[in-house]
Amino acid sequence: NDEQRSGPTTYVSNAASTFSTSSKIESIWMISLAPRIGYTYENSLFYAFGGLAASRFTYSFKYSDTCTAGFYDIVDTSISKNKLGWTAGVGYEYQVTDGWGLMVEYAHYEFDDVIDSSRSPLASDPTGGIWSGVDSFKADSVQIGIIKRF
């Protein structure tokens, strides 16, 4: 899962200067431990689940400006971090024959305080700087599959 946002912005206090920023957050891997509870009816199983999730995030931030008197002309930084979060979802399984089934499942994942903005090199700028970070990361997944039980 990854998300990217970027865009140039004009620095208002000095018409001759501009700056641009871009950032990218990426989940390298994600695992979960989420027990499920359900209801069976004939060959069908309806269930819900919830529990812990863990992921490794990589965050990159780029900043550049054209102001010669600026504290930072170009900043290119990357931070990697493991985080705990939570997951919840619902699913449905249908047993087609003895041992074979079909399934569909929806899962939602959330992680808070993923990257602390105080670790940004611009956060220590004496004029207040630009704080970059990721407050939360949310992801949704849908799985469709064939099940073989032994």
Side-chain angles (χ1 to χ4, degrees):
N1 298 326
D2 64 38
E3 181 175 324
Q4 184 171 355
R5 294 180 179 153
S6 63
T9 306
T10 302
Y11 190 53
V12 177
S13 68
N14 185 345
S17 298
T18 61
F19 69 89
S20 64
T21 63
S22 67
S23 61
K24 180 179 181 180
I25 182 81
E26 184 175 16
S27 172
I28 305 301
W29 52 260
M30 193 178 300
I31 61 172
S32 63
L33 177 61
R36 63 186 190 175
I37 186 168
Y39 174 76
T40 59
Y41 178 75
E42 295 180 3
N43 290 352
S44 294
L45 169 64
F46 301 90
Y47 62 90
F49 62 90
L52 293 174
S55 184
R56 176 141 185 102
F57 294 98
T58 299
Y59 174 70
S60 61
F61 176 76
K62 294 180 184 178
Y63 169 88
S64 64
D65 69 31
T66 60
C67 179
T68 57
F71 291 100
Y72 304 98
D73 291 329
I74 298 175
V75 172
D76 189 353
T77 187
S78 182
I79 300 169
S80 293
K81 191 175 187 181
N82 294 337
K83 282 299 288 185
L84 288 177
W86 61 269
T87 183
V90 294
Y92 172 74
E93 291 182 12
Y94 181 77
Q95 186 173 349
V96 179
T97 64
D98 191 28
W100 288 95
L102 302 173
M103 61 87 68
V104 62
E105 181 177 277
Y106 164 78
H108 177 78
Y109 300 87
E110 279 198 33
F111 299 87
D112 292 327
D113 301 322
V114 178
I115 302 295
D116 182 7
S117 62
S118 65
R119 295 194 57 194
S120 165
L122 295 176
S124 60
D125 184 332
T127 64
I130 295 175
W131 291 70
S132 65
V134 179
D135 291 332
S136 67
F137 183 89
K138 299 175 184 178
D140 296 289
S141 71
V142 175
Q143 297 182 58
I144 300 172
I146 299 172
I147 301 169
K148 172 61 176 151
R149 289 193 166 68
F150 296 95

